[in-house]
Amino acid sequence: PLVVRRPQFENLCSTVITMGTLCHFAWHNQFLSFQILHSQISYIEKQATTVTGCPLLIRCKNFQIIQLIIPQERDCHDVYISLIRLARPVKYEELYCFSFNPKLDKEEREQGWKLVSLNEEYNRMDVPNNYWQISDVNRDYQVCDSYPTEVYVPKSATAHIIVGSSKFRSRRRFPALSYYCKDNNASICRSSQPLSGFSARCLEDEQMLQAIRKANPGSNFMYVVDTRPKLNAMANRAAGKGYENEDNYSNIKFQFIGIENIHVMRSSLQKMLEVCELKSPSMNDFLWGLENSGWLKHIKAIMDAGIFIAKVNYWFSYIHLLDQILYGYLDGDPKERSPVIDQFIECVWQLMEQFPCAFEFNDRFLIHIQHHIYSCQFGNFLCNSQKERRELKIQERTYSLWAHLWKNRADYMNPLYREDHSQTQGTLRPQTAPCNFLYKFWSGMYTRFEKGMHPRQSVTDYLMAVKEETQQLEEELEVLEQRLADLKKVQLNNRKENSKQQDHNTHLGLSTSNNSIANTPQDYINNVKSFPSRSPSQGDEEDSALILTQDNLKSSDPDLSATSDQESGVEDLSCRSPSGGCCLPSEDSGKDSDEAVFLTV
Amino acid sequence: MEFAELIKTPRADNVVLHRPFYPAVEGTLCLTGHHLILSSRRQDNAEELWLLHSNIDSIEKRFVGSLGTIIIKCKDLRIIQLDIPGMEECLNIASSIEALSTLDSVTLMYPFFYRPMFEVVEDGWHSFLPEREFELLSSVTNEWRLSYVNKEFSVCPSYPPAVTVPKSIDDEALRRVATFRHGGRFPVLSYYHKKNGMVMMRSSQPLTGTNGRRCKEDSALINATLRAGKRGYIIDTRSLNVAQQARAKGGGFEQEVQYPQWRRIHKSVERYNILQESLIKLVEACNDQSHNMDRWLSKLEASNWLTHIKEILTAACLAAQCIDREGASVLVHGTEGTDSTLQITSLAQIILDPRCRTIRGFEALVEREWLQAGHPFQQRCAQSAYSNSKQKWESPVFFLFLDCVWQTLRQFPCSFEFNEHFLIVLFENAYASQFGTFLGNNESERCKLKLPQKTMSLWSWVNQPYELSKFKNPLFEANSLVIWPSVAPQSLQLWEGVFLRWNRSSKFLDEACEEMNNIIEYNKELQAKVNALRRQLAELETDDGMQESS
């Protein structure tokens, strides 16, 4: 038997089966089991053997932490070796998405992939237009293999300029349109660093930037924003790379915003997660660790960059943005995990906190996307470029996450979303003044598997239930009004036929419409729809103070589905205070154990 | 009137008011006995600021040429700036404000002069009398009685005239126990848990001293609350070390030998000036204008405010756990039993008792566990976060309690009838108010000041239907269960509604609240319509049936 330890959760487990894409834990009674995807495993560590057995620590990319205690060291080593191997697939074909089958037919699968189309996104921005056009210069990925085949560039940029510029850019990622604001013609383009070294220059690249500047006739200069700290950019010059020299480019304003590179970010995230892992930390341990990790500082730096001051509040445009970021960043060594995407998702969350009515989706949407980026259950996040994706026939062989999320979109809706944008007038302008305190620790994401820590009732779910009920009430109201009108007509007719009944009817205030003979009234009482329950499951379950658990991950994600969290989670108070040492003989410890068991159907 | 002497310059023109997130307002500044009033003369955008002098925590003055600037820091944590032309006017106004905001005599305070503009339907001074609370108790148990042993405030000056004690203990025994407890605060009933009949009592420390003085009436009193063969828990809000040191000063704690049926747990909760310093540091951090993330987090940590929140909540959860999960009675005390003890007994009731999560129930709780229980509001709330005087009586004890309630409210957003705004109003009124509710340090003082006759109760104002509607939580659905908040650091947050209230624009958050209200109001409206239609149809149908049958 194995002991599987998770925070607030301890249970005996009889077998660990690691095969294919899943690590499967089964218990003696066979009713309980839970599994984690190999692709979610980010780190495995064999810890020092204890009397009970050999502990194996598994950290997942979705911030779940599992400790296995395996009695035999030999078994432990075997599991360790197989997990190491399976967590690092060598071929794309080993990934779960190639075997995952949600039982959709071919058409539905194609439909799913069509949900998000790059071209439609640009069309929504009113591109192509007088200033921007699609260029086919990258057909067959001739110019840049990490760009898609269709690239949006200024009209005045000829193929010659583009190709020339691409030769001057790292990995040939020439400047291309990322976002266009139709209200003021402003645009955001992205590119890689120029291969400027200390003095090199490239005429075509200079022309390319001029073309971009001219594509906004309302402005006579443009900003070039370098996301690195200046020091890093300067250091890169020694390697023949670097940054644009302001002297060589007319009318540009250059700005460094000091977002640290992925190595710094990764260690920062790691430090923050370590803080989250602390066993009953004091408030000071936690805040000190949070500060020390610098994670929130990085988040703020990214936010300050203003690169997100954009219309990100549409469902699809969000996905689109995400796609772009992924095209841009998930590169190179697949073992090199970059927290860039985690940071992007968190930035969106920080914005949601500041602008509660501006986003159509809720935080569960972000958390599920984060999960699936690493789950490899869907083909969306595979490969590093459109080229590779086409070669692997991703669209024919795997399914699209967006279709999956879209199907369950009701779970991801923000009930407070205001379509009219009254709050934002289109663009979100996060407060940048002294607002450090606005950046908060996202407990819902980083400690998402520690159910006890989250708000026990979810405002989002409550409001969604109210909205759903409202919708049903609206429908019922319509039906009732119709019935009432019909009934009145019938009675009116009756009255005409039976004048002696007249005084009996008058007190009902009948309308005098006498158009047509109405239907016979039907049974109303049995027709009443049952409303979604939004009352707490009171009664038999003692202290199930949970009405709607925030992380109640709905049935839409089978592999995420937590048990319905009926236990209100009495904190083990005496444990949390090391000074106290006054452990109460409590029946709660027994209760806690069946709280977090993951059920798989 | 005495105030006229203090007001050297009652009025100044062309004064400019600066506040964060608002455009500057130019207008006329007037000083009255209790208010600082700035009214803008512009017709298109008339604006008035009324500030109670008693709300002013500290003022600073600065001069640039003949233009004087007064920076006013308020007890509700707001900071405003007034530009006053003319050096003399400015100096006069500053010294008047200083004098008027630090009046010594309680009877000069605004509540004694305030005349309400609303009709008093229910006098809040009589809403939560001990007799009424006892009536509620007697409907579920007859093991308790209301004792008037303290009628003249002679047994315990900080207790109300009527207290609830075990039926089997007579007044004579109570008098004797009072001599054995600090400040005469003998153990009294704080909360009765209907579910299992367990109780929570509170008192002050026993005066055992170094030679282990004992009092058999004392153990008899608390033993009277135990069921046969059951043990109880004594939660001491001091560390064991501090409790032991207290013996040298005549205080002490219950020794096992004398209280064999009780198990003592020490749960250290900070008190007095440490809390006050913590508040000062936290507010300083919140007002820090720098852009540095690290400094913010380290300052937040250094303030220790959230640590206090965690300690208090943990101790309260422990008390609640003993009662509800262990099925044991609990006695809570620290040294004096007027501060940390009350934080814990009142929070435990929020956790255990659904009634305390309603507006009226919460008012009753504040009345019972804070006002009548003798929390010295006047001493504790004399100064707030901007105080520079080093008086040792100020301490944000009640403020911390409200913050803990807010943390719980945040974790159970659908289980409270009131909203965050209600808690903020209580915070404001505890520090500066037109109502007499929070004046005085205990019932005895309130009685001498004749507050119920001479001032208006906060509850009289709050409980008007129109005002009440502003404090209602639209998400509230009565939850009859015990609620267990998480006390993990990851679950505790800064109470932005209070600490960042004046430092951030709340436009978008207000809009979210409004949207939330709209969603729920619309739902209710539809529900009412549907019900009305159903009734109407049912009536028509019966009529129809009658017609057909006739």
Side-chain angles (χ1 to χ4, degrees):
Chain A
L2 294 159
V3 180
V4 178
R5 240 184 224 137
R6 304 195 324 107
Q8 300 182 11
F9 163 81
E10 190 169 319
N11 218 324
L12 282 174
C13 163
S14 54
T15 40
V16 179
I17 306 156
T18 60
M19 50 181 285
T21 53
L22 284 171
C23 180
H24 190 88
F25 303 89
W27 273 261
H28 331 277
N29 56 19
Q30 297 299 313
F31 292 118
L32 295 168
S33 72
F34 89 102
Q35 47 198 16
I36 49 169
L37 285 162
H38 288 142
S39 56
Q40 283 285 8
I41 296 173
S42 100
Y43 174 81
I44 313 161
E45 187 191 307
K46 266 207 298 182
Q47 294 172 319
T49 314
T50 62
V51 263
T52 45
C54 202
L56 197 62
L57 182 79
I58 304 172
R59 268 179 237 255
C60 299
K61 292 167 187 168
N62 59 6
F63 311 119
Q64 185 172 18
I65 298 155
I66 294 161
Q67 194 188 25
L68 298 170
I69 295 172
I70 302 171
Q72 297 296 322
E73 210 201 326
R74 196 169 30 94
D75 294 343
C76 179
H77 190 71
D78 287 350
V79 173
Y80 175 71
I81 295 295
S82 9
L83 283 180
I84 290 246
R85 164 65 189 81
L86 291 163
R88 304 261 180 275
V90 277
K91 281 187 301 190
Y92 281 119
E93 280 75 5
E94 284 180 27
L95 292 169
Y96 184 35
C97 59
F98 289 100
S99 56
F100 173 69
N101 187 353
K103 300 197 173 58
L104 294 175
D105 59 32
K106 188 165 166 273
E107 224 164 89
E108 283 173 305
R109 182 204 300 241
E110 278 168 12
Q111 215 55 44
W113 283 109
K114 279 182 195 145
L115 264 175
V116 185
S117 135
L118 217 53
N119 288 349
E120 267 174 39
E121 273 311 304
Y122 280 104
N123 286 341
R124 205 179 54 74
M125 301 179 208
D126 271 0
V127 179
N129 60 15
N130 287 339
Y131 308 109
W132 297 89
Q133 65 181 8
I134 301 177
S135 164
D136 61 352
V137 69
N138 198 35
R139 67 176 174 276
D140 305 327
Y141 309 101
Q142 283 168 336
V143 178
C144 171
D145 61 5
S146 62
Y147 269 1
T149 45
E150 289 171 334
V151 186
Y152 291 77
V153 293
K155 258 196 174 152
S156 54
T158 61
H160 171 73
I161 292 177
I162 296 171
V163 173
S165 165
S166 77
K167 285 177 183 154
F168 189 62
R169 294 275 167 181
S170 178
R171 301 186 60 222
R172 311 192 87 191
R173 294 172 67 89
F174 55 88
L177 182 69
S178 155
Y179 174 74
Y180 178 78
C181 178
K182 59 188 168 195
D183 299 333
N184 60 6
N185 299 327
S187 60
I188 301 171
C189 296
R190 59 183 140 70
S191 73
S192 57
Q193 61 182 340
L195 304 171
S196 55
F198 288 98
S199 58
R201 50 188 292 188
C202 165
L203 192 63
E204 287 88 355
D205 193 58
E206 287 160 29
Q207 285 171 338
M208 185 73 193
L209 262 61
Q210 282 315 305
I212 292 171
R213 181 177 69 75
K214 283 179 185 146
N216 181 358
S219 167
N220 44 25
F221 61 88
M222 66 184 278
Y223 284 103
V224 175
V225 179
D226 193 315
T227 58
R228 296 165 293 183
K230 191 168 184 180
L231 210 64
N232 298 17
M234 286 168 79
N236 269 334
R237 288 199 299 188
K241 299 165 185 174
Y243 54 91
E244 291 83 352
N245 185 338
E246 269 179 283
D247 300 339
N248 298 339
Y249 297 84
S250 49
N251 298 318
I252 70 164
K253 291 189 179 175
F254 205 85
Q255 213 163 355
F256 290 101
I257 46 178
I259 299 175
E260 292 289 351
N261 64 32
I262 59 168
H263 309 290
V264 176
M265 294 298 193
R266 195 167 43 237
S267 86
S268 166
L269 176 64
Q270 189 51 45
K271 278 187 194 161
M272 187 183 68
L273 292 175
E274 277 165 18
V275 175
C276 297
E277 271 176 53
L278 289 175
K279 287 227 162 61
S280 60
S282 74
M283 200 71 221
N284 290 6
D285 289 343
F286 176 70
L287 287 174
W288 189 84
L290 196 58
E291 181 207 328
N292 205 35
S293 78
W295 178 257
L296 285 173
K297 184 174 74 182
H298 298 316
I299 294 289
K300 184 170 185 288
I302 298 171
M303 297 290 282
D304 283 349
I307 46 174
F308 294 104
I309 304 183
K311 276 186 178 170
V312 283
N313 37 358
Y314 279 113
W315 176 276
F316 280 127
S317 47
Y318 169 64
I319 291 169
H320 168 62
L321 219 76
L322 197 60
D323 265 357
Q324 283 194 345
I325 298 261
L326 288 163
Y327 278 131
Y329 286 110
L330 283 184
D331 54 1
D333 187 356
K335 284 177 191 158
E336 189 159 85
R337 183 183 172 213
S338 152
V340 169
I341 189 66
D342 295 337
Q343 272 176 328
F344 170 72
I345 289 177
E346 172 158 350
C347 285
V348 176
W349 178 80
Q350 300 279 6
L351 277 175
M352 282 163 67
E353 286 286 293
Q354 289 186 41
F355 302 93
C357 302
F359 291 83
E360 191 180 5
F361 48 85
N362 59 31
D363 59 341
R364 187 158 42 219
F365 181 63
L366 296 178
I367 291 172
H368 284 192
I369 288 178
Q370 196 273 348
H371 174 88
H372 283 298
I373 286 170
Y374 300 112
S375 78
C376 300
Q377 190 176 346
F378 299 94
N380 301 64
F381 305 106
L382 291 191
C383 311
N384 301 313
S385 65
Q386 197 187 38
K387 186 184 172 204
E388 270 188 86
R389 294 148 68 84
R390 289 205 176 153
E391 284 165 2
L392 270 169
K393 298 195 167 57
I394 293 284
Q395 299 212 354
E396 283 106 272
R397 297 167 65 190
T398 71
Y399 296 87
S400 167
L401 170 65
W402 308 135
H404 172 73
L405 294 175
W406 181 247
K407 197 176 81 202
N408 299 303
R409 60 191 174 279
D411 290 351
Y412 305 121
M413 287 293 181
N414 171 13
L416 296 175
Y417 175 57
R418 285 190 171 181
E419 247 166 294
D420 53 10
H421 297 274
S422 67
Q423 189 176 68
T424 55
Q425 284 96 41
T427 308
L428 305 180
R429 288 173 216 281
Q431 295 187 16
T432 45
C435 61
N436 295 313
F437 40 69
L438 290 175
Y439 296 95
K440 290 180 282 197
F441 173 70
W442 188 7
S443 189
M445 173 65 97
Y446 301 109
T447 60
R448 55 190 273 217
F449 290 95
E450 304 242 8
K451 300 247 184 303
M453 287 181 185
H454 303 146
R456 309 308 171 83
Q457 295 169 322
S458 154
V459 175
T460 302
D461 289 347
Y462 181 89
L463 288 174
M464 282 318 286
V466 171
K467 276 194 142 178
E468 202 182 322
E469 188 190 272
T470 301
Q471 208 184 339
Q472 294 187 0
L473 282 169
E474 274 173 344
E475 286 163 16
E476 196 193 346
L477 194 67
E478 214 171 287
V479 172
L480 287 174
E481 272 169 350
Q482 185 58 46
R483 293 258 156 83
L484 195 65
D486 294 349
L487 191 64
K488 282 176 181 172
K489 281 175 207 156
V490 171
Q491 292 199 336
L492 204 65
N493 288 332
N494 287 347
R495 188 172 57 166
K496 279 184 176 170
E497 290 159 21
N498 263 329
S499 56
K500 60 184 171 187
Q501 290 284 335
Q502 200 174 356
D503 51 343
H504 187 83
N505 277 341
T506 40
H507 75 279
L508 292 166
L510 293 181
S511 70
T512 49
S513 82
N514 53 353
N515 296 341
S516 59
I517 297 168
N519 309 331
T520 324
Q522 291 163 4
D523 177 17
Y524 307 112
I525 311 301
N526 296 336
N527 209 21
V528 177
K529 287 181 184 171
S530 59
F531 295 126
S533 158
R534 53 188 171 93
S535 337
S537 52
Q538 292 173 359
D540 38 22
E541 284 283 333
E542 68 150 356
D543 294 343
S544 54
L546 285 161
I547 295 181
L548 302 150
T549 48
Q550 189 216 24
D551 209 22
N552 190 358
L553 291 167
K554 306 278 167 126
S555 53
S556 46
D557 273 289
D559 55 330
L560 280 170
S561 67
T563 51
S564 64
D565 216 349
Q566 284 300 322
E567 170 65 30
S568 63
V570 182
E571 290 296 330
D572 196 353
L573 300 156
S574 13
C575 286
R576 289 201 175 278
S577 58
S579 59
C582 46
C583 205
L584 289 164
S586 159
E587 73 257 31
D588 299 328
S589 47
K591 292 209 150 198
D592 280 351
S593 57
D594 44 52
E595 172 197 3
V597 175
F598 274 42
L599 280 173
T600 32
V601 188
Chain B
M1 182 155 144
E2 307 92 321
F3 298 123
E5 296 158 23
L6 298 173
I7 305 169
K8 292 171 204 148
T9 302
R11 187 193 147 112
D13 289 325
N14 304 333
V15 174
V16 181
L17 164 72
H18 300 275
R19 289 166 295 181
F21 302 109
Y22 289 93
V25 176
E26 191 186 322
T28 303
L29 180 76
C30 292
L31 290 185
T32 71
H34 294 105
H35 283 98
L36 178 155
I37 305 157
L38 186 111
S39 53
S40 161
R41 289 175 299 180
R42 284 177 53 200
Q43 288 300 311
D44 54 325
N45 188 18
E47 222 191 299
E48 275 192 356
L49 169 86
W50 285 66
L51 194 67
L52 264 179
H53 291 316
S54 58
N55 189 2
I56 295 170
D57 212 19
S58 76
I59 73 166
E60 287 163 24
K61 33 188 193 290
R62 257 189 259 144
F63 290 94
V64 179
S66 68
L67 180 78
T69 294
I70 301 180
I71 293 164
I72 298 178
K73 299 182 173 179
C74 302
K75 289 175 189 166
D76 61 14
L77 310 183
R78 146 174 53 170
I79 298 178
I80 60 169
Q81 183 189 327
L82 295 171
D83 294 342
I84 301 168
M87 191 185 274
E88 201 192 326
E89 282 88 345
C90 185
L91 282 172
N92 282 345
I93 286 168
S95 70
S96 303
I97 294 174
E98 218 153 356
L100 289 164
S101 61
T102 52
L103 293 174
D104 281 334
S105 169
V106 183
T107 50
L108 291 178
M109 302 291 269
Y110 186 52
F112 287 92
F113 298 83
Y114 169 70
R115 292 291 162 263
M117 302 293 282
F118 59 91
E119 194 197 341
V120 179
V121 183
E122 183 199 337
D123 186 352
W125 287 113
H126 304 299
S127 295
F128 308 102
L129 296 175
E131 286 79 7
R132 200 172 282 190
E133 291 293 312
F134 184 73
E135 246 170 65
L136 289 173
L137 178 70
S138 14
S139 66
V140 285
T141 172
N142 57 3
E143 290 166 5
W144 298 83
R145 70 183 183 96
L146 203 58
S147 164
Y148 289 94
V149 67
N150 198 36
K151 210 168 154 195
E152 311 294 331
F153 304 106
S154 53
V155 177
C156 172
S158 61
Y159 269 174
V163 288
T164 310
V165 293
K167 208 170 208 171
S168 57
I169 306 296
D170 62 19
D171 282 359
E172 194 40 48
L174 292 178
R175 278 194 196 94
R176 248 180 253 146
V177 177
T179 62
F180 181 65
R181 292 274 172 180
H182 191 119
R185 294 176 70 91
F186 53 88
V188 295
L189 180 76
S190 161
Y191 170 67
Y192 181 87
H193 198 45
K194 279 181 222 157
K195 193 171 128 192
N196 57 9
M198 292 301 130
V199 296
M200 180 163 56
M201 288 178 300
R202 55 177 155 77
S203 70
S204 58
Q205 63 176 349
L207 302 173
T208 56
T210 38
N211 50 10
R213 205 182 131 212
R214 51 190 305 181
C215 171
K216 63 179 195 309
E217 287 86 357
D218 189 72
S219 42
L221 169 56
I222 63 170
N223 287 345
T225 66
L226 293 177
R227 297 274 158 85
K230 281 286 231 175
R231 286 191 358 151
Y233 289 92
I234 293 172
I235 296 177
D236 194 323
T237 65
R238 304 161 294 181
S239 66
L240 179 62
N241 211 359
V242 172
Q244 275 166 344
Q245 283 165 6
R247 288 191 295 191
K249 293 183 212 148
F253 53 89
E254 294 84 356
Q255 302 272 15
E256 282 83 357
V257 275
Q258 286 148 30
Y259 299 85
Q261 284 169 281
W262 295 82
R263 186 161 162 202
R264 215 177 56 248
I265 299 171
H266 290 273
K267 266 277 166 233
S268 170
V269 173
E270 284 296 352
R271 53 204 76 218
Y272 310 132
N273 55 333
I274 293 176
L275 301 180
Q276 182 69 11
E277 272 164 34
S278 177
L279 174 66
I280 291 171
K281 279 190 198 154
L282 175 64
V283 171
E284 199 182 286
C286 293
N287 289 331
D288 183 7
Q289 303 286 309
S290 83
H291 288 246
N292 189 321
M293 192 77 210
D294 283 356
R295 266 179 61 194
W296 157 245
L297 282 173
S298 60
K299 280 183 162 183
L300 179 64
E301 185 229 314
S303 80
N304 277 329
W305 183 266
L306 289 170
T307 304
H308 303 318
I309 298 280
K310 185 174 179 331
E311 280 171 1
I312 297 166
L313 265 177
T314 307
C317 288
L318 179 73
Q321 199 179 13
C322 290
I323 294 171
D324 187 68
R325 294 301 175 100
E326 299 301 309
S329 286
V330 171
L331 169 68
V332 184
H333 72 72
T335 306
E336 290 166 321
T338 53
D339 295 279
S340 53
T341 304
L342 305 182
Q343 288 174 328
I344 286 153
T345 56
S346 52
L347 280 168
Q349 291 179 57
I350 296 271
I351 293 165
L352 293 169
D353 187 3
R355 179 178 165 237
C356 294
R357 296 173 225 140
T358 65
I359 292 181
R360 280 204 78 101
F362 191 75
E363 290 171 3
L365 181 77
V366 170
E367 187 72 34
R368 206 170 59 231
E369 290 297 301
W370 290 91
L371 292 160
Q372 289 167 17
H375 174 66
F377 274 99
Q378 199 167 308
Q379 287 179 350
R380 298 288 180 259
C381 302
Q383 295 257 264
S384 169
Y386 303 115
S387 64
N388 27 30
S389 70
K390 282 268 180 256
Q391 279 177 298
K392 64 180 213 185
W393 298 117
E394 286 94 26
S395 185
V397 177
F398 184 64
F399 191 178
L400 275 162
F401 159 70
L402 292 175
D403 196 333
C404 290
V405 177
W406 178 81
Q407 304 282 352
T408 318
L409 168 63
R410 202 188 69 80
Q411 295 187 27
F412 294 89
C414 308
S415 297
F416 288 80
E417 190 190 6
F418 50 86
N419 56 23
E420 175 185 12
H421 187 52
F422 183 60
L423 297 174
I424 295 174
V425 164
L426 288 182
F427 157 67
E428 286 176 337
N429 278 279
Y431 279 88
S433 177
Q434 66 259 48
F435 304 106
T437 299
F438 292 107
L439 290 184
N441 289 310
N442 48 50
E443 285 296 285
S444 162
E445 284 188 28
R446 280 180 208 111
C447 205
K448 280 183 203 124
L449 288 166
K450 295 198 169 60
L451 291 180
Q453 293 83 34
K454 292 186 170 171
T455 70
M456 179 60 54
S457 163
L458 172 67
W459 314 130
S460 307
W461 173 72
V462 165
N463 288 333
Q464 303 169 90
Y466 173 71
E467 298 299 333
L468 217 48
S469 67
K470 290 188 271 185
F471 303 131
K472 285 212 164 127
N473 173 11
L475 307 173
F476 177 59
E477 292 237 318
N479 175 358
S480 63
L481 303 166
V482 176
I483 55 174
W484 299 106
S486 162
V487 295
Q490 290 92 325
S491 312
L492 301 177
Q493 281 188 5
L494 180 72
W495 187 5
E496 297 177 21
V498 163
F499 291 105
L500 308 178
R501 186 177 173 193
W502 313 102
N503 302 352
R504 58 161 191 191
S505 160
S506 63
K507 195 176 137 208
F508 302 121
L509 301 177
D510 292 346
E511 220 164 342
C513 285
E514 193 187 299
E515 186 68 35
M516 213 181 282
N517 269 321
N518 290 347
I519 290 170
I520 285 162
E521 282 308 310
Y522 180 55
N523 178 278
K524 282 185 183 159
E525 209 178 286
L526 278 180
Q527 215 142 31
K529 269 191 196 166
V530 165
N531 287 341
L533 276 183
R534 278 189 205 153
R535 260 198 311 277
Q536 210 176 332
L537 274 167
E539 270 175 42
L540 276 175
E541 275 189 315
T542 21
D543 289 349
D544 217 30
M546 280 162 69
Q547 278 180 358
E548 273 164 29
S549 61
S550 64

